[in-house]
Amino acid sequence: MKARITLVLVALFLSVNIGFAQQDEECMTNLMIFSDYVKSKKYDEAYEPWMKVRNKCPKFNYAIYGYGEKILDHKIKNSSGADKAAFVNDKMKLLDEGLANFPNKYEKGEVLNDKGLLMYDNKKELGVSNQEIYDMFDRAYKEDLKNFKNPKGLYVYFSTAVDLYNEGKLPLQSVFDKYDDVSDKIGTEVEICTEELNKLVQKEEAGQTLTSKEEKYRKYYTNYLENYEKIGGSIDSKLGQLANCENLIPLYKKDFETYKNDAVWLKRAVSRMYNKECTDDPLYIELVKAYDATAPSADTKYFVATILFKQNKDSEAVNYLKQAFDLETDKYKKGRLAERIGGILKKKGRYSEARNYYRESLKLNPSNGRPHLNIAAMYAASANDCGADSFDKRAVFWYAAQEARKAGKVDATLTKVANQTAASYEGNAPTKGDIFTKGNAGQTIKIGCWINGSVVVPSL
């Protein structure tokens, strides 16, 4: 036994970074004991030797904190009442100790986020208030925004702001401000993930194979994008009726004179009025004009276009959309803008123009599959107008299905919906019996009108 421990000690000595100034034989022995227990998932047995090292040699090895979190997670999961509260509080203390003793392994924003989630998930046991939970996340936001990016943490941060409003402890404007803060942060993180994912998609499209490391990164970025999309919808739901036109219009009317030259306030007000469909009120036009006069940009031209469309000045509106697209210089934002413009034109039935913008969006953000689905939907909607006879018209659905499947190939978050959509379109296409009767299996059908494409009839 002594010989085995000696060999393990030598191996650990060579493989881990030890603070030699605090080197201690007892700490080394206990480090190896609790490390072996953790690796075997014997967390209860690991607890005592781990605590000895933690208390005597807090800077001895990072495993004290990395493995310590696993040990305390086990204790929290398998305890209740006062015992559970004690373990939760100890994990929060451990996170602080890890940040202090191994600052190269921890980020302040992540630590504060993790502490906030511990408080939120164990609110009853700890007896903490919404204010205390909010304040912890607020520290993460204010003290280390860069590393405060956990999807759940961002949601809880905003959610507790709404709860505080309902308790009468936070004004409505502050809730809106926090919604914008969290939404902006989500947007930033989505942009970062998308840009990295674009590089991997472009590599694949160039015929190159991703390395195993790149495959892991692709999965990582895809998962984060899925989570950000989910919490984006969740914070909208949480905001709910607070951001209806009945609340927004009087609030912005009251503050307009104060903030009519504040570009950030105007942008947020216009965006919320637009997203909540409060655009029929004259205040919306007033806000857009002030925003465009204060800080003309791609955003302002886009919103001016929305007003012109409402006034049935479609040609002028389309010109403003073009200005918006031309003014945007950020590649990611330009891609998102092109998608939004495509959406407006699609609703107006201007399919050819919409497709052009959707394709621009795909060039700029190739890992975003939504434009493919929207293009496919326009193809399907045009089936009756783009064929010489019934067979050719229904053949357009094959073309739509091909486009829909592209969404799943470039965007893993859309694989399921892309396949379901494509299958739905194929269900409207000619049957095998139709193909047999027509006698054109394997032939290419030209699709006219604005689509201007072709599709091969499946073989029987």
Side-chain angles (χ1 to χ4, degrees), residues 232-292:
S234 296
I235 67 171
D236 282 339
S237 298
K238 184 71 176 182
L239 188 63
Q241 291 302 308
L242 293 181
N244 57 27
C245 299
E246 288 75 15
N247 284 334
L248 291 175
I249 292 170
L251 180 67
Y252 292 144
K253 279 183 178 178
K254 177 176 68 72
D255 292 340
F256 179 69
E257 284 301 318
T258 303
Y259 297 105
K260 64 182 179 182
N261 296 315
D262 185 327
V264 173
W265 184 89
L266 288 166
K267 177 182 180 179
R268 290 181 168 186
V270 169
S271 296
R272 185 167 291 112
M273 291 275 285
Y274 175 75
N275 290 328
K276 292 299 178 179
E277 299 183 355
C278 306
T279 55
D280 289 333
D281 193 276
L283 176 65
Y284 176 72
I285 297 176
E286 197 171 1
L287 287 167
V288 170
K289 287 180 177 178
Y291 183 26
D292 191 40

Side-chain angles (χ1 to χ4, degrees), residues 263-395:
V264 173
W265 184 89
L266 288 166
K267 177 182 180 179
R268 290 181 168 186
V270 169
S271 296
R272 185 167 291 112
M273 291 275 285
Y274 175 75
N275 290 328
K276 292 299 178 179
E277 299 183 355
C278 306
T279 55
D280 289 333
D281 193 276
L283 176 65
Y284 176 72
I285 297 176
E286 197 171 1
L287 287 167
V288 170
K289 287 180 177 178
Y291 183 26
D292 191 40
T294 302
S297 65
D299 261 354
T300 65
K301 302 306 177 187
Y302 175 86
F303 287 119
V304 169
T306 66
I307 293 174
L308 292 169
F309 274 124
K310 277 193 167 292
Q311 297 172 342
N312 295 317
K313 298 177 181 178
D314 289 12
S315 296
E316 194 176 347
V318 170
N319 182 51
Y320 267 89
L321 291 178
K322 184 179 184 303
Q323 288 182 49
F325 183 73
D326 291 341
L327 279 171
E328 185 57 72
T329 56
D330 181 275
K331 185 178 179 181
Y332 171 77
K333 292 178 181 177
K334 196 177 184 78
R336 291 295 297 272
L337 177 60
E339 183 183 2
R340 288 166 64 195
I341 293 174
I344 286 182
L345 296 172
K346 176 173 174 278
K347 286 181 181 179
K348 300 294 289 185
R350 302 171 74 113
Y351 289 165
S352 181
E353 294 165 283
R355 179 175 61 181
N356 290 339
Y357 279 103
Y358 281 133
R359 285 177 173 173
E360 287 293 335
S361 181
L362 289 166
K363 290 177 186 176
L364 295 161
N365 289 324
S367 63
N368 174 19
R370 289 188 302 271
H372 284 301
L373 290 176
N374 281 301
I375 293 172
M378 292 190 296
Y379 289 159
S382 301
N384 282 334
D385 303 318
C386 298
D389 55 30
S390 175
F391 187 96
D392 285 4
K393 288 178 180 180
R394 291 170 61 200

Side-chain angles (χ1 to χ4, degrees), residues 32-273:
M32 288 308 308
I33 292 172
F34 85 69
S35 294
D36 281 348
Y37 278 137
V38 169
K39 291 173 184 176
S40 301
K41 297 185 178 181
K42 297 179 179 179
Y43 301 112
D44 289 323
E45 291 86 344
Y47 184 78
E48 184 178 347
W50 167 68
M51 283 295 289
K52 288 180 179 178
V53 183
R54 178 187 176 190
N55 291 329
K56 187 175 183 180
C57 311
K59 296 185 179 181
F60 195 62
N61 190 274
Y62 168 65
I64 297 169
Y65 304 96
Y67 283 170
E69 289 187 50
K70 292 178 179 290
I71 293 170
L72 288 177
D73 283 342
H74 170 80
K75 290 290 189 180
I76 292 169
K77 183 179 180 180
N78 294 280
S79 59
S80 59
D83 288 340
K84 185 173 186 177
F87 286 126
V88 171
N89 281 318
D90 197 32
K91 184 175 179 184
M92 289 196 283
K93 180 183 176 184
L94 181 73
L95 290 169
D96 287 333
E97 292 170 351
L99 178 62
N101 294 321
F102 287 87
N104 62 320
K105 296 288 187 179
Y106 287 86
E107 299 292 351
K108 190 174 186 179
E110 292 178 353
V111 167
L112 292 170
N113 171 82
D114 290 350
K115 290 173 69 175
L117 288 177
L118 281 166
M119 294 168 68
Y120 176 77
D121 290 336
N122 302 281
K123 183 179 179 181
K124 181 179 178 181
E125 289 82 0
L126 296 177
V128 294
S129 65
N130 285 325
Q131 187 68 60
E132 289 174 292
I133 296 170
Y134 176 83
D135 289 343
M136 184 64 73
F137 287 112
D138 200 41
R139 284 186 60 197
Y141 181 86
K142 292 176 178 176
E143 297 176 24
D144 189 12
L145 179 59
K146 178 183 177 182
N147 293 298
F148 178 32
K149 53 188 176 183
N150 180 277
K152 182 179 177 180
L154 288 167
Y155 169 74
V156 175
Y157 182 34
F158 174 70
S159 176
T160 51
V162 176
D163 293 339
L164 289 174
Y165 165 78
N166 291 330
E167 293 172 11
K169 296 177 180 177
L170 204 64
L172 184 58
Q173 182 61 59
S174 295
V175 176
F176 289 158
D177 290 342
K178 197 48 55 187
Y179 173 88
D180 291 326
D181 290 341
V182 172
S183 295
D184 287 348
K185 177 59 179 175
I186 292 172
T188 297
E189 294 304 320
V190 167
E191 180 175 354
I192 291 171
C193 289
T194 300
E195 288 178 345
E196 293 301 320
L197 199 54
N198 283 343
K199 296 175 186 176
L200 300 177
V201 170
Q202 287 170 332
K203 181 176 179 179
E204 284 187 313
E205 289 181 343
Q208 301 177 50
T209 303
L210 299 183
T211 65
S212 58
K213 184 177 181 180
E214 287 173 330
E215 287 286 1
K216 290 179 181 177
Y217 273 118
R218 177 167 185 165
K219 184 177 181 180
Y220 168 83
Y221 294 129
T222 299
N223 287 340
Y224 256 79
L225 286 173
E226 286 180 336
N227 288 331
Y228 284 129
E229 183 176 354
K230 289 177 183 176
I231 66 164
S234 296
I235 67 171
D236 282 339
S237 298
K238 184 71 176 182
L239 188 63
Q241 291 302 308
L242 293 181
N244 57 27
C245 299
E246 288 75 15
N247 284 334
L248 291 175
I249 292 170
L251 180 67
Y252 292 144
K253 279 183 178 178
K254 177 176 68 72
D255 292 340
F256 179 69
E257 284 301 318
T258 303
Y259 297 105
K260 64 182 179 182
N261 296 315
D262 185 327
V264 173
W265 184 89
L266 288 166
K267 177 182 180 179
R268 290 181 168 186
V270 169
S271 296
R272 185 167 291 112
M273 291 275 285

